[in-house]
Amino acid sequence: SSLLSGFTNLRFTEPVTRSEKNEFGLNDPLAEMVIEYKNDAGETTTGHLMVGNQDHAGNYYAKWNGSDYIYLISSFNAERFINLIPDDYSSPISTETTEGN
């Protein structure tokens, strides 16, 4: 739920530029998400979000494949993605137990 909540509440703070720079860290992002969703027409679409380095104010650079711009997102939102571990993506597999064992 943290992943879904983080993505659905994601707000870009401001557009920065259309030109990528090495300092943004998008060539080697801290987090990458590939998201499959349905658009307004009901068609399945794939989106790609990359989260790069922090700026001097503590926000993170981000790039969404559906936009030409590099944006800033708040550290709160960015760190929700950066700090996820594999266990956050799925629930443990339940195991069957029998009485007396």
Side-chain angles (χ1 to χ4, degrees), residues 13 20 24 45 51 63 79 85-86 97 99 101:
T13 304
E20 285 193 38
F24 298 161
T45 305
V51 179
K63 173 83 171 131
E79 289 168 0
I85 59 173
T97 59
E99 287 186 39
N101 289 340

Side-chain angles (χ1 to χ4, degrees), residues 29-46:
L30 300 172
E32 288 185 74
M33 292 176 47
V34 177
I35 303 142
E36 191 171 284
Y37 62 96
K38 292 194 180 200
N39 63 20
D40 293 336
E43 303 163 330
T44 300
T45 305
T46 300

